[in-house]
Amino acid sequence: MVILFLTTQEAVCSRIVSLLSGSGHIMQVFTEPRKFYSTVLSSGRSKIDLLACDYLAFGGDEIDLFSIMEQHHSVVPLFYYNTPFPAPEDRAFFWYENIKRRQSKFLSPESLEPLLPVLVSIQDVINRRDVFPYIRLLNPPLPFREEGAQELLDFDLDEFRRRHHIQSSRFVLLQYLYEHRNEELEADTICEYLWKTVSEEKISTLYSYIHDLRKACEKEEAFYIAIERPAKRTYSLVVRKSKDSREEFFSAKEFFARHKPVPVTF
């Protein structure tokens, strides 16, 4: 297969390509989106079999490459190799199903059939210990901590998921809350991230997800983890070494909600 990569991390992507080099594929890494677009639109399915894109390379939310290829009648199977949504062992299937969902009406069954084994090979390389930690979006950045600020406790999300049997849909929410732990996130903001829309139905689904995650958090014994509600329709994931060591700190909203004004006397 001819596989083109578009990336913002050339060194990491080159490493992925080198690890796949023995599989017989012809691969090329692009770091310039315009050059990548030009190559894809001029060559299309006649010369290219698969596109592996970095979601950050051109702003996946702003530019829909699926639609661009449709408009130019040059549809090539496309997936984002660093999408954070699926669990490591489910990535290849997630990529494959998304290709079928977005592109199957433009591609023949014969062209779709050989994709899954190739995607599994790419998944296996990405999940390697010497590759996975360096791919942006798959891993939250290390938290910036000012001098004297409270240290954030890191833990293995995938292990937490397996230990408490968390469903994939709920895990996406947990990942987002973990990346923004100790921050106050409004329900609308969370819905926009999860589903790109806000409605009462989505809010209700979010409440259901939070309820399920809270049950998993309550079962955790190695450390203290909880999804708190500092204000109406606002949530915050907190993680501490233990429940006893939890420090009381409130946002301005919490403080004024819990304290009546003190009468001023002269």
Side-chain angles (χ1 to χ4, degrees):
M1 278 193 178
V2 175
I3 306 173
L4 303 188
F5 287 81
L6 174 63
T7 184
T8 59
Q9 294 183 288
E10 185 175 10
V12 176
C13 207
S14 296
R15 172 64 173 163
I16 294 172
V17 167
S18 69
L19 291 169
L20 289 168
S21 60
S23 56
H25 302 301
I26 300 173
M27 294 167 285
Q28 185 174 356
V29 176
F30 290 81
T31 58
E32 293 293 334
R34 290 185 181 276
K35 186 175 181 181
F36 176 81
Y37 298 152
S38 177
T39 302
V40 172
L41 296 179
S42 62
S43 300
R45 283 289 296 155
S46 62
K47 296 181 180 179
I48 308 170
D49 298 296
L50 185 62
L51 304 176
C53 294
D54 179 345
Y55 194 78
L56 298 173
F58 49 82
D61 285 332
E62 299 175 5
I63 299 176
D64 186 357
L65 192 53
F66 290 106
S67 298
I68 293 175
M69 287 191 292
E70 290 176 23
Q71 294 168 7
H72 289 80
H73 307 289
S74 183
V75 176
V76 180
L78 162 73
F79 74 100
Y80 297 110
Y81 69 81
N82 59 341
T83 177
F85 298 142
E89 66 274 13
D90 299 329
R91 295 190 199 286
F93 182 75
F94 176 88
W95 297 331
Y96 182 69
E97 288 299 310
N98 198 49
I99 290 172
K100 289 202 304 182
R101 181 176 64 85
R102 293 297 305 269
Q103 300 179 297
S104 59
K105 64 180 179 180
F106 304 99
L107 303 171
S108 67
E110 292 76 18
S111 64
L112 287 170
E113 186 176 354
L115 291 179
L116 188 56
V118 178
L119 293 172
V120 170
S121 297
I122 296 174
Q123 167 191 277
D124 291 343
V125 168
I126 285 176
N127 288 342
R128 287 173 55 118
R129 292 183 179 181
D130 57 343
V131 175
F132 180 85
Y134 306 100
I135 301 178
R136 294 169 62 191
L137 277 189
L138 292 185
N139 299 280
L142 293 175
F144 175 75
R145 186 165 65 93
E146 297 181 6
E147 186 177 355
Q150 184 182 22
E151 184 176 0
L152 296 179
L153 177 65
D154 295 308
F155 66 97
D156 189 331
L157 272 180
D158 290 316
E159 175 59 29
F160 182 85
R161 177 194 185 187
R162 288 190 290 269
R163 190 159 60 241
H164 299 292
H165 310 289
I166 297 174
Q167 299 178 29
S168 297
S169 56
R170 277 68 169 169
F171 188 63
V172 176
L173 171 58
L174 179 61
Q175 285 180 309
Y176 182 66
L177 293 176
Y178 177 79
E179 291 172 11
H180 297 276
R181 55 200 184 281
N182 288 349
E183 297 179 23
E184 296 181 8
L185 302 171
E186 294 184 355
D188 289 3
T189 301
I190 301 173
C191 286
E192 284 283 1
Y193 174 81
L194 294 177
W195 300 292
K196 312 301 182 188
T197 186
V198 179
S199 66
E200 288 306 314
E201 179 183 358
K202 294 302 183 186
I203 292 291
S204 178
T205 301
L206 173 63
Y207 291 163
S208 175
Y209 285 10
I210 290 175
H211 175 266
D212 293 344
L213 288 176
R214 279 174 167 165
K215 290 172 65 177
C217 291
E218 290 171 359
K219 297 176 182 177
E220 180 57 50
E221 297 180 351
F223 49 85
Y224 174 80
I225 178 172
I227 301 174
E228 298 184 346
R229 194 179 74 162
K232 185 178 181 181
R233 291 168 71 106
T234 302
Y235 297 92
S236 178
L237 181 73
V238 296
V239 185
R240 305 283 184 269
K241 293 181 179 179
S242 69
K243 190 170 184 178
D244 294 337
S245 66
R246 181 181 172 214
E247 296 181 6
E248 291 294 336
F249 66 99
F250 306 113
S251 66
K253 289 181 181 178
E254 286 180 294
F255 180 85
F256 288 110
R258 299 185 182 206
H259 296 78
K260 294 181 179 180
V262 178
V264 178
T265 57
F266 295 96

